[in-house]
Amino acid sequence: MYYVVFGLLYLLSLLPLKVLYLVSDFFYVLVFYVLGYRKKVVLQNLATAFPEKNEAERLRIAKNFYRNFTDTFIETIKCISVSKAWLRRHIKSDLQVFHQLHQQGYKCQVHMGHNFNWEMANLSLTLDLPYTLLGVYMPIKNKVMDRLFRYIRSKSGTVLIPATSMRNAMMPYRNTQYLLGLVADQNPGDPRAAYWVRFFGQATPFVKGPEKGARNAQTAVVFCHITKIKRGYYEVHFNLATAEPQALPEGELTRQYVHFLEDVIKAAPDMWLWSHRRWKLQWKPEYGPVME
């Protein structure tokens, strides 16, 4: 079954982006107007994050989000067959910070959110990166889709690290200079084992893993976000957060990341994944203090 799915999607990926975006436009109408996929969740999230905006303004953000959502789906299919030259044309980045950190002997972590199009960003990073890129991913239950996404995400050289067995998978690289890519805006499984930070005015839990890993392994931390130049063209931006995370008070790195993420989202709200329930967990006093 995998080869059937892969073959069909590979043939589809050979079509020009202009044609593929017609497919994306169709899916946008289907997902937003017909199926209403997670529409209530998206609009509720936007109402929570932007209470100062009126309903029409939030609806406009939602529509643009769904357009980016379906474009990302189509662009990810396109990535099945794209060349390195194609990636260089369609996604730009300045990797100077990584070259400097590598020369200084640092291991490195990149913390980013669900910022479109993270799949293309992953593929482009390895083209000129001085590090081995280790990408943490959550295995997909459907074996066909899991194998397909593992192919896409590793085709440029990213070494995939399953989140379900991260410690063991990291062992071969523990004494090397690596760059670990982490999506750091995840909801924790246990709200008692989270850093709680004020995010869009709401007490919000963030996973402790990225910060704890950086402190324990003494890795430099770089914050990342993506901007959209035009349809199909992106730029990846990197900001050095700290080269010495162990010198910061516990929780401070996460607090800084949350503020960074909020600023990024406010600048381009349609570029973040609003369809997951960001505020499904409610803070309780026993969870500890909320960082501002």
Side-chain angles (χ1 to χ4, degrees):
M1 178 59 71
Y2 167 75
Y3 292 105
V4 173
V5 173
F6 180 86
L8 291 173
L9 291 179
Y10 184 87
L11 291 174
L12 181 63
S13 75
L14 296 176
L15 294 172
L17 265 182
K18 288 183 179 180
V19 176
L20 289 175
Y21 283 140
L22 296 177
V23 179
S24 178
D25 291 341
F26 168 77
F27 276 109
Y28 161 71
V29 173
L30 179 66
V31 169
F32 183 77
Y33 289 102
V34 180
L35 299 178
Y37 172 73
R38 296 201 172 186
K39 197 171 181 179
K40 290 183 180 179
V41 173
V42 171
L43 293 175
Q44 180 57 56
N45 280 339
L46 289 172
T48 301
F50 301 109
E52 75 283 1
K53 296 184 183 297
N54 61 43
E55 187 175 342
E57 290 172 321
R58 292 195 292 265
L59 184 60
R60 189 177 307 115
I61 294 172
K63 289 181 177 180
N64 289 335
F65 155 73
Y66 277 100
R67 287 191 178 278
N68 285 325
F69 182 78
T70 56
D71 276 2
T72 293
F73 171 74
I74 288 298
E75 289 163 358
T76 300
I77 292 175
K78 180 67 178 176
C79 285
I80 293 174
S81 64
V82 296
S83 65
K84 292 181 179 180
W86 187 96
L87 285 169
R88 291 185 193 280
R89 289 196 304 272
H90 285 263
I91 189 158
K92 306 291 184 183
S93 56
D94 183 353
L95 303 179
Q96 183 178 359
V97 64
F98 297 118
H99 288 281
Q100 292 174 346
L101 289 169
H102 189 268
Q103 289 171 3
Q104 294 166 6
Y106 285 101
K107 301 175 184 178
C108 192
Q109 282 190 14
V110 169
H111 296 184
M112 71 172 295
H114 282 90
N115 189 204
F116 300 128
N117 182 335
W118 61 82
E119 300 289 358
M120 287 175 63
N122 162 63
L123 289 179
S124 71
L125 271 184
T126 54
L127 300 180
D128 301 294
L129 197 66
Y131 289 96
T132 297
L133 176 59
L134 309 179
V136 178
Y137 79 104
M138 183 59 68
I140 301 170
K141 290 182 180 180
N142 183 292
K143 292 183 178 180
V144 172
M145 296 308 296
D146 184 68
R147 187 173 177 183
L148 177 65
F149 272 90
R150 283 191 285 113
Y151 169 81
I152 295 171
R153 290 168 178 173
S154 63
K155 66 173 290 186
S156 287
T158 299
V159 177
L160 296 179
I161 303 294
T164 50
S165 57
M166 186 172 170
R167 179 173 295 182
N168 290 336
M170 287 286 297
M171 288 297 287
Y173 304 96
R174 67 189 186 281
N175 295 321
T176 67
Q177 272 187 280
Y178 59 77
L179 188 153
L180 182 65
L182 295 165
V183 178
D185 60 352
Q186 304 277 19
N187 265 322
D190 184 354
R192 296 167 296 183
Y195 290 123
W196 285 81
V197 188
R198 194 74 59 187
F199 181 53
F200 284 99
Q202 309 296 314
T204 310
F206 283 81
V207 290
K208 287 186 174 181
E211 175 172 330
K212 289 181 68 176
R215 293 169 67 91
N216 292 338
Q218 299 183 19
T219 62
V221 177
V222 174
F223 295 161
C224 169
H225 76 285
I226 305 166
T227 55
K228 188 173 185 176
I229 301 170
K230 60 180 181 178
R231 207 174 193 185
Y233 292 83
Y234 300 90
E235 186 169 358
V236 190
H237 308 270
F238 301 101
N239 302 87
L240 177 63
T242 178
E244 308 291 341
Q246 65 276 12
L248 297 175
E250 184 178 354
E252 174 60 20
L253 181 62
T254 301
R255 189 188 71 83
Q256 290 182 16
Y257 168 73
V258 172
H259 287 191
F260 168 85
L261 179 64
E262 183 171 327
D263 289 342
V264 166
I265 295 170
K266 285 179 177 178
D270 56 294
M271 286 284 286
W272 194 57
L273 189 66
W274 293 101
S275 54
H276 64 302
R277 294 178 61 198
R278 177 68 267 186
W279 291 285
K280 66 180 180 180
L281 298 174
Q282 298 298 312
W283 177 81
K284 297 178 181 179
E286 57 264 34
Y287 296 160
V290 178
M291 294 182 284
E292 299 292 339

